[in-house]
Amino acid sequence: MATGKNTDGDLWALARAERARLAEDLANLTDEQWQHSTLCGDWTVEQVLAHLTAAASLNQRQWLRSMIGARFRADVHNQRRLDEYLGDTPAQTLQQFRAVIDSTTAPSAHTAAYLGEVLVHAQDIRQPLGLPRTPSSEALVPVAEFYASHNFTVPSQTYADGLQLRATDSSFTTGYGLLVTGPLLALVMSIAGRAAYLDQLAGPGASTLRSRVQRIPFNPSERTPGAGSVAQ
């Protein structure tokens, strides 16, 4: 499922590039940094990376089998898959992530959502560590478009409903209603439920978006991308 002018091939190429950049950023972390907290609930840097590896390793059949085994409890599914791809050491966890950099495996055809998984979780790691790299605008635009029009792993469409999102660092605009402005990355992360980015937003709709994110908080362990989980 392509978004805008991007084909699935384009989106997977962007995902591969962003995975490679994240692996590069994490190559020289200290043991303490690997156990640092993230924007992803209680998960550490190493655990978020293992989650990304798991997300790139399950096709639709494997995802469904795992969910059935977990009795469709997303938190149980996520924890089991995270444990499966968590290495004995951070170096091994990173090695396993590098092995899936070129992966196009996913539980469903919503490719923009899986690109979003990479972008958002990368920032879940980078922001608390103070790592300066940010995703490319080419990657952020299709994710912003998808998130504004779908509830997938997070209720991003619900967060953005009735708001116009306008980037201050690109030509990106989507939606109708109260205006929310800010850097494109901050818009994406905010409608992905990351409250740490809300202070970068302005406009008459910014307070509405803040109240929604605070009212419906993001819990990564309770959400999992998979076939049939998208509200169109």
Side-chain angles (χ1 to χ4, degrees):
M1 178 179 292
T3 301
K5 297 179 180 179
N6 293 289
T7 66
D8 279 342
D10 294 334
L11 296 174
W12 282 124
L14 291 166
R16 287 193 291 269
E18 294 301 328
R19 288 177 186 142
R21 291 175 181 135
L22 178 60
E24 183 179 290
D25 286 345
L26 303 182
N28 296 310
L29 293 190
T30 65
D31 289 342
E32 182 180 2
Q33 286 175 310
W34 276 109
Q35 302 312 314
H36 199 284
S37 60
T38 68
L39 301 183
C40 212
D42 295 329
W43 287 351
T44 66
V45 169
E46 186 178 8
Q47 288 172 321
V48 173
L49 193 67
H51 174 73
L52 277 175
T53 304
S57 303
L58 298 178
N59 59 29
Q60 186 179 64
R61 178 182 57 82
Q62 292 167 322
W63 176 86
L64 184 58
R65 185 172 61 188
S66 178
M67 287 295 288
I68 290 172
R71 298 183 180 181
F72 288 93
R73 293 171 294 175
D75 58 336
V76 175
H77 159 84
N78 280 331
Q79 189 61 49
R80 286 177 176 176
R81 301 290 70 78
L82 187 155
D83 291 343
E84 180 181 358
Y85 291 97
L86 195 65
D88 293 331
T89 65
Q92 189 177 80
T93 301
L94 180 57
Q95 181 180 9
Q96 292 181 162
F97 177 70
R98 283 180 171 141
V100 300
I101 282 176
D102 293 331
S103 173
T104 58
T105 298
S108 71
H110 302 92
T111 313
Y114 300 108
L115 173 59
E117 284 278 293
V118 178
L119 299 192
V120 171
H121 284 319
Q123 294 310 117
D124 285 340
I125 290 171
R126 288 184 180 122
Q127 197 267 4
L129 289 178
L131 300 177
R133 196 197 303 259
T134 59
S136 69
S137 60
E138 291 81 8
L140 284 167
V141 167
V143 172
E145 291 173 346
F146 184 89
Y147 279 4
S149 56
H150 299 77
N151 287 330
F152 196 69
T153 57
V154 292
S156 51
Q157 182 182 20
T158 299
Y159 291 144
D161 185 46
L163 300 174
Q164 182 183 28
L165 308 179
R166 181 184 300 169
T168 55
D169 55 354
S170 76
S171 60
F172 175 80
T173 300
T174 192
Y176 299 92
L178 293 173
L179 180 64
V180 181
T181 63
L184 181 55
L185 176 60
L187 292 172
V188 169
M189 294 299 289
S190 294
I191 64 173
R194 273 54 172 190
Y197 283 81
L198 289 167
D199 286 343
Q200 297 182 40
L201 305 182
S207 60
T208 299
L209 179 54
R210 176 183 293 275
S211 67
R212 289 174 179 175
V213 171
Q214 291 173 340
R215 188 175 69 251
I216 312 172
F218 164 74
N219 187 338
S221 69
E222 295 178 354
R223 301 184 184 278
T224 176
S229 64
V230 175
Q232 299 289 349

